[in-house]
Amino acid sequence: MLTTEELERRWQSLTFTDDFIFSQVMHDESICRQVVELILGVQIGEIRYLSAQDEHKTDPDTMGIIMDVFLRDEKRIINVEVQTGHRKELPKRSRYYQSVADASTTSTGSKYRNLPDNILIFICTFDPFLLGLPRYTFEFTCLETRHELRLEDGALRIFLNTRTKALLDLDQKLQAFYHYLQEGTAESTLTKEISSKIRTLKNNSLARRHYMTLALKMADIRYDAFEEGLEQGREDGFQVGFQDGVAKGFEQGIEQGIEQGIKRGIEQGIERGAYQKALETAKSMLHNGISISLVVDCTKLSLETVEQLAGNS
């Protein structure tokens, strides 16, 4: 069981790249605008739509997604995500996010030529493509012309690798942003604003209580999952052990096979029990309106699994 002191330490140690903090801070329109303009290197127009942790679907029967921050101006729609775990499905996830962003903002009868630019930004605390670059920018180009011909469909995907130390080619403000994400050192006007916002948030008793209540609930869920998995593992272990023993031979292998099988069965049972408990927990959280990204973080289920559960709920 988590103690009050442990919860307080966790709360005080949360940073900008924590999902809870990121959503709260980026809900500040001024900070959100500055972060987006810094990354894109251009000024954006008047923000007509700004949302955080809202679910978007193209159809009631399709898989919904939670966008950390989704905004638009007169020329473009922009989705900003923070990613703290290496996800192999990140490229295809980015493709789906952009398609949903287009579909959810395009009304019936719209002309294709009127589609706004579609920009997706992933702020990653790891190197998503393992090349050491501070930034990876993708747009569609023609392979036959060695990428000289651009499709110019307005789609752009940007992945920031905030772990990199290769920052010399970035301007000073962007370098300061990277330093802040890496070390927590606020050197620029923007990072000082972010730091101040986080301090204010951490002094907010309501936000603190919400986070701690959620953390306690998740700790109880994980403990219950372990207990259920252990009990199921013990039951499964004897059956698996006997089967392994038979396979190894009655005379010499049965004793060793049962011992190894029991151990393997317990491990498998714990894993299955924990997984089933996590599924039940995720369904309950989604039913209560908790965001997909927070469900993934709390239950440790894969993003695809939680999105499928959300689509079926």
Side-chain angles (χ1 to χ4, degrees):
M1 178 64 67
L2 290 173
T3 65
T4 303
E5 291 75 15
E6 288 172 327
L7 285 170
E8 184 64 33
R9 282 197 296 271
R10 286 191 182 187
W11 172 246
Q12 294 300 331
S13 66
L14 295 180
T15 65
F16 183 57
T17 55
D18 174 83
D19 184 75
F20 182 86
I21 296 293
F22 182 78
S23 296
Q24 296 294 319
V25 173
M26 288 292 281
H27 198 65
D28 183 306
E29 187 172 333
S30 174
I31 291 178
C32 183
R33 173 187 294 277
Q34 292 181 72
V35 170
V36 171
E37 290 183 344
L38 178 64
I39 294 172
L40 295 182
V42 297
Q43 289 186 337
I44 59 177
E46 181 181 355
I47 294 176
R48 296 185 295 171
Y49 178 82
L50 177 65
S51 67
Q53 292 293 321
D54 285 345
E55 183 176 19
H56 297 264
K57 281 189 174 187
T58 57
D59 185 88
D61 295 327
T62 61
M63 181 172 63
I65 62 173
I66 296 293
M67 297 182 180
D68 286 342
V69 178
F70 186 63
L71 60 91
R72 64 182 302 171
D73 66 2
E74 294 84 357
K75 299 180 180 179
R76 52 185 79 84
I77 53 177
I78 304 170
N79 177 208
V80 188
E81 302 286 323
V82 63
Q83 192 72 31
T84 59
H86 192 285
R87 306 276 196 241
K88 291 183 179 179
E89 74 275 8
L90 199 56
K92 287 192 175 180
R93 179 184 174 191
S94 67
R95 164 185 153 188
Y96 189 73
Y97 269 48
Q98 282 197 304
S99 66
V100 172
D102 271 332
S104 65
T105 56
T106 304
S107 58
T108 303
S110 298
K111 302 296 183 181
Y112 291 121
R113 62 175 176 270
N114 295 328
L115 282 175
D117 289 349
N118 188 331
I119 301 174
L120 175 60
I121 300 170
F122 273 104
I123 301 175
C124 303
T125 59
F126 55 92
D127 188 343
F129 302 103
L130 305 178
L131 295 179
L133 299 177
R135 173 193 182 112
Y136 301 89
T137 304
F138 295 88
E139 61 181 1
F140 289 107
T141 60
C142 180
L143 299 180
E144 286 75 12
T145 64
R146 297 185 180 181
H147 305 285
E148 293 180 2
L149 175 63
R150 298 185 178 185
L151 188 59
E152 295 185 355
D153 62 344
L156 188 69
R157 304 182 205 176
I158 299 171
F159 301 82
L160 300 188
N161 166 25
T162 63
R163 287 190 60 183
T164 185
K165 300 299 182 183
L167 303 177
L168 294 180
D169 291 335
L170 304 179
D171 64 47
Q172 290 185 347
K173 291 183 179 180
L174 200 51
Q175 286 187 39
F177 184 64
Y178 272 72
H179 286 155
Y180 179 71
L181 297 180
Q182 292 172 353
E183 304 169 7
T185 305
E187 304 168 342
S188 64
T189 301
L190 171 59
T191 56
K192 288 177 181 177
E193 283 188 40
I194 294 174
S195 182
S196 176
K197 185 74 175 181
I198 293 175
R199 284 196 302 270
T200 300
L201 181 64
K202 288 184 176 180
N203 288 326
N204 185 304
S205 59
L206 183 61
R208 176 178 173 274
R209 185 165 59 250
H210 174 67
Y211 172 81
M212 290 187 174
T213 300
L214 185 61
L216 281 173
K217 182 178 180 180
M218 290 305 102
D220 288 342
I221 288 170
R222 293 192 182 103
Y223 179 79
D224 290 343
F226 174 80
E227 288 294 308
E228 290 187 13
L230 183 60
E231 182 177 353
Q232 182 178 349
R234 290 194 182 102
E235 295 175 359
D236 293 348
F238 288 101
Q239 182 177 358
V240 173
F242 179 77
Q243 293 173 349
D244 280 6
V246 171
K248 290 178 179 294
F250 280 102
E251 294 183 358
Q252 297 181 351
I254 191 167
E255 182 177 352
Q256 180 181 0
I258 289 177
E259 181 181 350
Q260 293 176 351
I262 290 174
K263 180 180 179 181
R264 185 161 66 91
I266 290 175
E267 292 173 351
Q268 291 175 349
I270 291 173
E271 184 176 347
R272 285 198 297 270
Y275 181 72
Q276 290 300 321
K277 186 66 177 180
L279 288 177
E280 295 174 6
T281 300
K283 290 178 182 178
S284 176
M285 294 176 70
L286 291 168
H287 179 72
N288 288 310
I290 296 176
S291 70
I292 287 179
S293 58
L294 192 54
V295 173
V296 170
D297 183 57
C298 293
T299 64
K300 305 306 179 185
L301 292 171
S302 68
L303 176 66
E304 292 87 352
T305 298
V306 176
E307 287 179 336
Q308 288 175 1
L309 290 175
N312 294 331
S313 62

